[in-house]
């Protein structure tokens, strides 16, 4: 357990440093800083598995989701560093994170043995939320443009993670699932801010970038930490 606490503490320190550095703008230096921060939540998850070997199957799925999240992190920052390839990097970021959330959802469904029709209802609700988000874009002064379809796809997967995790917390009442639900909701809020940053105007100020990454890293470290609470 000591290794887990050391990894978590180190990760929080590195991530905090990145938050303030990244708020000043994107750069190669901050890309490596971001990668270090993302590696830290992966290290936290690995150490959590070592502390709780009985949760290795669940932990493996969480780690796979984290690895894909790291890839998504790199892609989304590269779009600022190489603006000519903005389209490719942004789409890659969406895809990496979407697949990562599929692993998170698989971990939740497998661990809690959720009934298939519960899962289908959660996915349907998530899709409705994603479509309503797209339909309300004009009212919110958001222009998804050519990214509308991939935003709907990604929003569905992301919302599904939040809904399934909340359902898991309600059904099981376990500490791990409550922490996961909090993390998933923070992840969703992070991407709400990111949505405005990417597709609206006036949301790219340092404070918005700081809030986006604060919510994101809080979410990732919480999700990684659920592994130690699995009975």
């Amino acid at each position: 357990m000591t290794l887990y606490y050391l990894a978590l503490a180190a990760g929080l320190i590195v991530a905090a440093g990145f938050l303030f550095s990244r708020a000043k703008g994107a750069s190669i230096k901050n890309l490596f800083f971001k990668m270090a921060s993302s590696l830290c939540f992966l290290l936290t998850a690995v150490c959590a598995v070592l502390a709780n070997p009985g949760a290795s199957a669940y932990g493996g799925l969480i780690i796979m989701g984290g690895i894909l999240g790291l890839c998504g992190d790199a892609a989304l920052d590269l779009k600022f560093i190489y603006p000519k390839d903005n389209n490719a990097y942004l789409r890659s970021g969406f895809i990496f994170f979407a697949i990562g959330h599929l692993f998170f959802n698989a971990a939740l469904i497998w661990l809690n043995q959720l009934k298939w029709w519960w899962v289908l209802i959660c996915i349907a609700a998530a899709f409705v939320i994603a479509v309503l988000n797209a339909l309300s874009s004009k009212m919110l002064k958001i222009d998804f443009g050519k990214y509308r379809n991939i935003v709907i796809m990604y929003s569905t997967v992301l919302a599904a993670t939040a809904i399934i995790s909340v359902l898991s917390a309600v059904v099981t009442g376990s500490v791990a699932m409550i922490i996961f639900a909090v993390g998933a909701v923070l992840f969703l809020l992070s991407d709400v801010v990111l949505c405005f940053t990417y597709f609206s105007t006036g949301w790219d100020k340092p404070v918005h970038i700081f809030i986006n990454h604060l919510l994101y890293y809080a979410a990732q470290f919480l999700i990684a930490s659920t592994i130690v609470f699995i009975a």
Side-chain angles (χ1 to χ4, degrees):
M1 191 68 79
T2 302
L3 281 177
Y4 160 71
Y5 286 120
L6 288 174
L8 178 61
L12 293 176
I13 292 170
V14 173
F18 168 73
L19 291 178
F20 290 99
S21 181
R22 178 60 180 84
K24 298 175 183 178
S27 65
I28 292 292
K29 171 191 169 184
N30 281 335
L31 172 60
F32 284 111
F33 208 164
K34 188 176 190 179
M35 292 299 93
S37 302
S38 298
L39 282 171
C40 283
F41 68 68
L42 280 177
L43 180 61
T44 299
V46 170
C47 290
V49 171
L50 293 176
N52 186 13
S56 58
Y58 169 84
L61 291 169
I62 297 299
I63 289 169
M64 282 302 301
I67 290 171
L68 286 155
L70 184 151
C71 294
D73 284 337
L76 293 182
D77 255 34
L78 283 170
K79 89 182 202 68
F80 293 107
I81 297 170
Y82 302 107
K84 289 184 179 179
D85 297 314
N86 169 75
N87 179 59
Y89 286 126
L90 183 54
R91 289 183 184 276
S92 296
F94 278 128
I95 292 169
F96 280 128
F97 276 112
I99 298 174
H101 275 274
L102 290 179
F103 277 99
F104 288 159
N105 283 317
L108 291 169
I109 294 166
W110 175 82
L111 178 69
N112 300 300
Q113 296 295 294
L114 298 179
K115 296 176 180 177
W116 65 268
W117 54 272
W118 286 0
V119 177
L120 285 181
I121 291 173
C122 290
I123 294 172
F127 180 70
V128 170
I129 291 172
V131 171
L132 290 175
N133 174 55
L135 292 176
S136 64
S137 59
K138 286 187 178 179
M139 180 181 69
L140 297 173
K141 297 181 179 179
I142 299 174
D143 182 13
F144 293 122
K146 61 185 177 182
Y147 300 106
R148 178 175 294 272
N149 290 337
I150 198 168
V151 166
I152 291 175
M153 177 275 291
Y154 174 64
S155 298
T156 299
V157 178
L158 183 63
T161 305
I163 296 170
I164 291 173
S165 65
V166 170
L167 172 65
S168 298
V170 171
V171 170
T172 66
S174 73
V175 173
M177 292 302 98
I178 292 171
I179 293 173
F180 200 118
V182 173
V185 171
L186 291 178
F187 211 125
L188 187 62
L189 292 175
S190 168
D191 274 26
V192 168
V193 177
L194 194 65
C195 177
F196 280 95
T197 300
Y198 284 173
F199 304 113
S200 187
T201 56
W203 284 78
D204 56 353
K205 295 179 174 60
V207 64
H208 301 129
I209 296 170
F210 181 88
I211 291 172
N212 163 238
H213 286 99
L214 175 63
L215 293 170
Y216 171 70
Y217 279 108
Q220 290 284 40
F221 279 105
L222 283 172
I223 291 172
S225 295
T226 60
I227 299 168
V228 298
F229 295 97
I230 300 298

